[in-house]
Amino acid sequence: HSLPEEMKMPKRKCHVVVDSTVEALIGALRDNPRGVLIYKDEIDSLLSNFNRYNSSDEGYFLSLFSGTPFKYSRKSNNEHIFLANPYCSIIGTTQPGRLGEQFGGKRMMNGFSSRFLKVYPEIDKMPSWNDTAMPDSVLEEWERIIRKVVAATPSTDQEGKATSIELLFSQEAKLRVIQWKDEVNNKAYAETDSDAVRALCGKLETYLVRFCLVIQIMHCICGESGMDKIEPGTAELAIRLTEYFRNMESRIAPEIETGILDNRFTELLGNLRDSFTTAEAVREALQLGISESSVKRFLRDGGRGFVKKKSHGCYRKI
């Protein structure tokens, strides 16, 4: 028997997405309008696949940060998807030696790197093992909180669509946030010539507002305050959290800069003139054991921030 025409394909509800290809992610965002999380134990598996199959992948993730409305057409089944308010969080881990390749060069200049909040704790020695366990009461309380967050359902309009909840800043909280912008963030922006630092200043302003929203809602979920406005205490906590991530970025930036080039490409650039051609780079690279395709890809990607294209087949070192 054929299916009735009015039947709709069931939507796959989820919070965490495993398949992070753009097509799979867009399908998940369509079925989960409240947003999803991409979790990668090794974030390199996500970043290294950008632009492998579609040159617009990285650009899509750049715009996804701002929740930009997005239209997508699946040629396989002639499906057209419109995401009015896409939201996706990404969390993952990596090694310090991989930071340059993952977040350096062009990704530092175009704001891709500053879209990621980074944590780089000072660990001088390996922690010891012991048999201490998290108390069951703490685990149960945390599960209760998270389930309450997930179950929190916004109101719906007459058509059954979820309506958003708008939280405004209290006057005192608004003045505190403005003070931070004028006295801290604007000052940091004015005192640097680094495009990367300036890009970070812009993204931290976005994160500050988001931190205010998350902290206020969590206070409400835990019964510590209401959900009618952003309170002064919330703004203060959000500012402290924002400055924590600024400090983390300042610690991690040298790792990104020094890890951008491996020894072979460092030697390659050292052997080339300030201005050089593709043929000269290929000839020198072959002597260092670097394949022609690798060096051409290196040049095409802007030498990870160390090379600028002058004209077709001609480059100069920055």
Side-chain angles (χ1 to χ4, degrees):
H1 298 284
S2 60
L3 294 174
E5 292 184 1
E6 64 271 12
M7 289 189 68
K8 295 182 179 180
M9 182 181 296
K11 295 182 178 180
R12 181 173 61 92
K13 297 297 181 181
C14 65
H15 301 297
V16 180
V17 175
V18 178
D19 185 351
S20 56
T21 61
V22 169
E23 183 170 0
L25 177 61
I26 289 174
L29 290 171
R30 174 203 57 198
D31 295 341
N32 300 272
R34 296 178 66 180
V36 296
L37 165 72
I38 293 177
Y39 171 73
K40 292 287 185 180
D41 185 48
E42 291 286 346
I43 202 169
D44 187 64
S45 64
L46 169 68
L47 303 183
S48 62
N49 280 329
F50 280 177
N51 305 335
R52 177 173 294 182
Y53 306 108
N54 190 323
S55 60
S56 63
D57 284 5
E58 187 168 319
Y60 172 70
F61 276 88
L62 284 169
S63 61
L64 183 61
F65 175 83
S66 303
T68 305
F70 187 77
K71 294 181 180 179
Y72 185 78
S73 298
R74 283 177 170 169
K75 296 180 180 179
S76 58
N77 58 2
N78 198 31
E79 182 183 14
H80 302 279
I81 300 174
F82 175 69
L83 303 176
N85 298 290
Y87 178 81
C88 174
S89 290
I90 303 173
I91 186 171
T93 63
T94 190
Q95 299 78 36
R98 301 285 293 158
L99 289 168
E101 183 177 342
Q102 294 164 349
F103 296 105
K106 182 178 68 175
R107 286 178 174 171
M108 182 175 284
M109 295 301 102
N110 66 8
F112 181 86
S113 176
S114 59
R115 282 164 165 77
F116 284 79
L117 297 174
K118 306 175 186 70
V119 177
Y120 190 19
E122 295 185 32
I123 301 177
D124 297 325
K125 60 181 180 179
M126 290 287 288
S128 301
W129 286 355
N130 57 61
D131 61 355
T132 303
M134 183 72 70
D136 290 340
S137 59
V138 175
L139 295 175
E140 292 169 0
E141 177 69 5
W142 180 242
E143 181 179 357
R144 185 190 67 80
I145 291 172
I146 295 302
R147 288 190 179 278
K148 194 172 180 181
V149 171
V150 172
T153 304
S155 58
T156 57
D157 58 21
Q158 294 180 347
E159 297 179 357
K161 295 182 179 180
T163 57
S164 60
I165 300 173
E166 184 177 9
L167 289 184
L168 301 177
F169 283 86
S170 69
Q171 184 64 20
E172 187 177 348
K174 183 188 296 184
L175 292 176
R176 180 66 184 96
V177 168
I178 293 173
Q179 180 188 29
W180 169 84
K181 175 171 171 54
D182 291 340
E183 299 180 5
V184 180
N185 209 47
N186 286 5
K187 184 172 182 288
Y189 186 94
E191 291 179 350
T192 183
D193 295 325
S194 168
D195 290 337
V197 173
R198 290 185 169 184
L200 176 66
C201 289
K203 296 302 179 293
L204 287 181
E205 291 182 359
T206 299
Y207 271 117
L208 173 64
V209 177
R210 292 178 178 178
F211 290 155
C212 285
L213 180 63
V214 171
I215 293 171
Q216 188 64 49
I217 289 176
M218 292 304 288
H219 278 321
C220 175
I221 291 294
C222 294
E224 299 171 356
S225 63
M227 201 187 296
D228 55 339
K229 61 183 177 181
I230 304 296
E231 300 173 349
T234 295
E236 197 64 48
L237 290 173
I239 288 171
R240 290 174 60 185
L241 188 56
T242 302
E243 289 306 312
Y244 167 82
F245 283 111
R246 192 198 303 274
N247 291 334
M248 286 290 104
E249 188 72 29
S250 66
R251 286 197 64 229
I252 215 166
E255 293 283 355
I256 294 177
E257 294 169 359
T258 58
I260 289 174
L261 299 178
D262 63 36
N263 292 333
R264 294 182 306 159
F265 283 108
T266 301
E267 186 175 356
L268 170 63
L269 287 182
N271 293 344
L272 292 170
R273 298 175 300 168
D274 288 343
S275 294
F276 59 93
T277 65
T278 301
E280 290 171 341
V282 169
R283 186 167 55 249
E284 188 65 38
L286 291 175
Q287 297 180 20
L288 297 173
I290 305 174
S291 68
E292 179 175 343
S293 60
S294 294
V295 73
K296 286 184 176 179
R297 183 168 59 251
F298 173 75
L299 296 175
R300 185 173 62 250
D301 293 339
R304 300 175 192 167
F306 286 88
V307 172
K308 185 176 182 62
K309 186 175 183 178
K310 295 169 55 180
S311 59
H312 180 69
C314 296
Y315 300 85
R316 68 177 177 84
K317 291 187 284 187
I318 301 176

